[in-house]
Amino acid sequence: MKYLNCIASLDKNSFCEDELYEELMLIESDYERACYEEELSKQAKLCDVLGKFKSRLSAFKRDIRREKALKNTAVQLKNDNVTDFTGEPQLACGIWTANDSGIAVYSEKGIIEACKHPIYPTRILINAETNLCKIELRFKVRGQWRTCIEEKETISSASKILTLANKGVQVNSENARNLVKYLADVEALNEYDITEVVSTSRFGWINEKCFMPYGNNIIFDNEQNLKSLFESIKSVGSRDEWYDMIKKLRSKKQFEFLIYMAASFASVLVEPCGALPFVVAMYGGSGCGKTVTMMIATSVWADPSEGKYITGSKGTSTAAEIRLSTLNNLPLMVDDLAQIQAQYDGDFSSLIYEWCNGKSKDRSNKALGLNSIGSWRNAILVNSEHSILNDCIQGGAANRVIDVEVAEKMLVNNEGNEYAEFVKKNYGYAGYDFVNLILNMGFDEVKKIQKQYSEVIRKMSADDEKEEKQILPMSIILTADELIEKYLFKDEIRIDISKSVSMLRSVNSDNEQQRAYDCICDICMINNYKFRDDEKERWGSKELIDGQLYVYFISTSFKKVMKSEGFDHKVFLSWANKQGLLKTNPGRNTIVKRYGEETSRCICLRLRSESDLPEVNNDDDIPFN
């Protein structure tokens, strides 16, 4: 190599020789070529021609890229134009004349116009979850530069690119095909100048070292579809004032407030701890501070103002899935679940299962394939005037809910309005601080603390075994509580662990079939008239057998009642038979019963008696005894 072997002896005339740049570009190794460029830059600086060297090198690289693009695409370009938008970087644009007046080709046949204003691609985005490409476009309309992120297929089709008109781009059926051609040419001719970056359409953990939206090297590519949600997650106001105000509330040591706040932080620990989503449901009478407390918990991460981060309960299940999948590890905040109580007939089992399943339903697309399945691992915070857990809710759903009753008002006098207005102007700092804390600690250390709390809960409930599906979320909440007290608030105020454990559902109380049995017994008592001979729509009859009261429940009616109450009659009958509560014919769960001249298959179920009920000390019921 004539020049590269003697860089130290080059003079300023040497940097004008084409052979120097040809030698440099013949080096195949990018690393080796970069090292030579660095040495040449040092020598050019000594020769006072550094600017000329960089300019010539850049032009030489551009020529090579253009030749490569022409070869790969077999396009014979007549010109070597570059974009000339004021204040913007120059990009090769081939046959197109691109300046502040717009983009066009001037030929013997006239002007072929692609767009009346500046527009060009700035970045290629590769989604971390799907590996699909999107492209970021920058364009200037009405004197202002704007950006938008689009699917690659949108700018590759003359029909689909028309959707850019909704963003302000001046594209129509006449120039659409030309705009597609222009954007494709610019992208092809600037393979190395248009950077490629990693993007994501979800918030939360990208990996153990990066969390969206706090990762500097990750781009969010879904803000167009969830603009208000995306724009709400930011830091506004004063960090110190927010911490001071929340410390004031924490100093009251009110259990309900502390656990709700800890649950908001705990949402980002669900993924590191390998857990499924869970629900923290706060309930209490009107005016006890539920909505304001939700706003305060939201201000950890985002803008708690109406219509921003917090969502209502009336949206469709598909909309909820999209929001959950986008939030991913950030908490879902649902205000006033009572609004849809009638829709679910008081039984939120199906809704809880959908939320806590951690993934969306399978759905087909136009190509008869399956759309990608959304997923999430977070905490879901809701509030309502009444508990979402009732006698009808299924045991599996109940186990996924931490139910928090507000025993007394959390905010008094005008505190509610004061705190609500404050957090609308100061928010988003604590979440950022907490995520950085987890990044510094590492997932392993967080999981270690969580496991310790799990063991503590098990030991404290040795005499009253708790459900594992309740222990895990509570241990995560207690882990978050320890971390925020120790590193963020530093006020020595923690959640009462004993009270937390007492809230959890016991294994014995979670027997869904026992609840079904109690429900059937109550129904038989309330609807006693339906078991009489003179009732036209009778359900069956009642009889004393060996001193025990049994109900002969006509099979069809029994199934209808069980279905209306949300229980599986087959599972219940199998359980009841094992418990010795049924009288049956051999090989069946039913028995034949004669009613006058007709016979019917019935469920012969022993009803509850006084001996089945817990003993009560009657002295306690006598006032002033």
Side-chain angles (χ1 to χ4, degrees), residues 223 239 408 423 437 492 579 606:
E223 69 268 23
R239 172 186 269 104
E408 58 184 63
V423 294
L437 170 63
E492 298 184 354
Q579 301 298 316
R606 179 170 68 83

Side-chain angles (χ1 to χ4, degrees), residues 300-552:
V300 169
W301 306 100
D303 186 351
S305 303
E306 185 178 356
K308 298 296 184 179
Y309 188 95
I310 299 174
T311 185
S313 56
K314 291 185 177 180
T316 65
S317 60
T318 302
E321 284 180 6
I322 293 172
R323 183 175 285 268
L324 277 165
S325 181
T326 302
L327 288 172
N328 188 19
N329 301 131
L330 292 181
L332 174 69
M333 304 286 189
V334 184
D335 188 31
D336 196 4
L337 209 60
Q339 294 182 19
I340 58 170
Q341 189 163 357
Q343 178 182 334
Y344 287 88
D345 198 21
D347 182 4
F348 290 108
S349 297
S350 60
L351 182 63
I352 293 169
Y353 279 130
E354 287 177 9
W355 284 347
C356 298
N357 187 37
K359 63 179 181 180
S360 59
K361 299 175 184 176
D362 284 337
R363 291 185 176 87
S364 62
N365 52 36
K366 293 180 181 179
L368 300 181
L370 292 176
N371 289 328
S372 58
I373 297 176
S375 62
W376 54 89
R377 292 287 184 275
N378 64 345
I380 298 156
L381 277 64
V382 304
N383 65 44
S384 62
E385 290 195 1
H386 304 285
S387 173
I388 65 174
L389 303 181
N390 52 39
D391 290 338
C392 295
I393 198 165
Q394 297 176 31
N399 287 337
R400 290 164 171 80
V401 178
I402 302 294
D403 216 23
V404 182
E405 181 182 7
V406 182
E408 58 184 63
K409 285 188 175 183
M410 292 180 286
L411 303 167
V412 296
N413 300 327
N414 196 43
E415 280 186 330
N417 292 332
E418 179 185 347
Y419 281 108
E421 290 305 313
F422 175 81
V423 294
K424 287 179 183 178
K425 299 175 182 177
N426 302 271
Y427 56 83
Y429 291 104
Y432 176 83
D433 296 340
F434 189 66
V435 167
N436 280 331
L437 170 63
I438 304 306
L439 288 170
N440 291 329
M441 291 179 62
F443 284 9
D444 290 341
E445 183 63 25
V446 171
K447 199 163 186 176
K448 179 181 176 182
I449 298 172
Q450 176 265 314
K451 286 183 176 179
Q452 290 172 350
Y453 274 111
S454 291
E455 290 304 313
V456 169
I457 295 172
R458 290 189 186 96
K459 289 179 181 178
M460 293 181 69
S461 57
D463 297 332
D464 182 19
E465 186 181 356
K466 303 298 183 181
E467 275 291 337
E468 278 298 319
K469 290 179 181 177
Q470 292 258 293
I471 292 175
L472 182 55
M474 183 57 77
S475 67
I476 295 174
I477 291 172
L478 292 174
T479 299
D481 182 59
E482 175 180 324
L483 295 177
I484 61 176
E485 185 281 319
K486 189 174 182 180
Y487 297 102
L488 300 187
F489 294 105
K490 303 175 183 178
D491 53 7
E492 298 184 354
I493 297 173
R494 298 266 185 96
I495 294 173
D496 186 331
I497 299 181
S498 297
K499 191 169 183 178
S500 301
V501 174
S502 68
M503 293 172 54
L504 304 182
R505 294 172 65 84
S506 300
V507 171
N508 294 332
S509 69
D510 226 5
N511 191 322
E512 186 172 354
Q513 307 318 316
Q514 180 66 48
R515 292 192 298 108
Y517 175 65
D518 292 339
C519 184
I520 287 295
C521 290
D522 291 342
I523 288 172
C524 289
M525 181 179 66
I526 294 169
N527 297 277
N528 191 51
Y529 66 95
K530 286 187 177 290
F531 297 92
R532 295 172 181 166
D533 292 340
D534 57 350
E535 175 62 28
K536 293 181 179 180
E537 297 181 6
R538 68 185 299 176
W539 285 354
S541 60
K542 294 180 180 180
E543 291 184 17
L544 275 173
I545 303 176
D546 299 329
Q548 294 283 347
L549 181 62
Y550 280 79
V551 59
Y552 284 88

Side-chain angles (χ1 to χ4, degrees), residues 130-167:
T130 64
N131 286 326
L132 296 179
C133 294
K134 291 187 178 183
I135 191 164
E136 183 183 66
L137 299 177
R138 184 165 167 81
F139 58 96
K140 186 177 184 181
V141 291
R142 300 183 183 277
Q144 289 186 331
W145 282 101
R146 306 175 186 178
T147 60
C148 65
I149 296 173
E150 303 294 334
E151 304 284 349
K152 282 294 293 290
E153 64 176 349
T154 300
I155 67 161
S156 303
S157 165
S159 59
K160 292 181 179 179
I161 202 170
L162 292 174
T163 60
L164 294 184
N166 296 327
K167 309 287 177 65

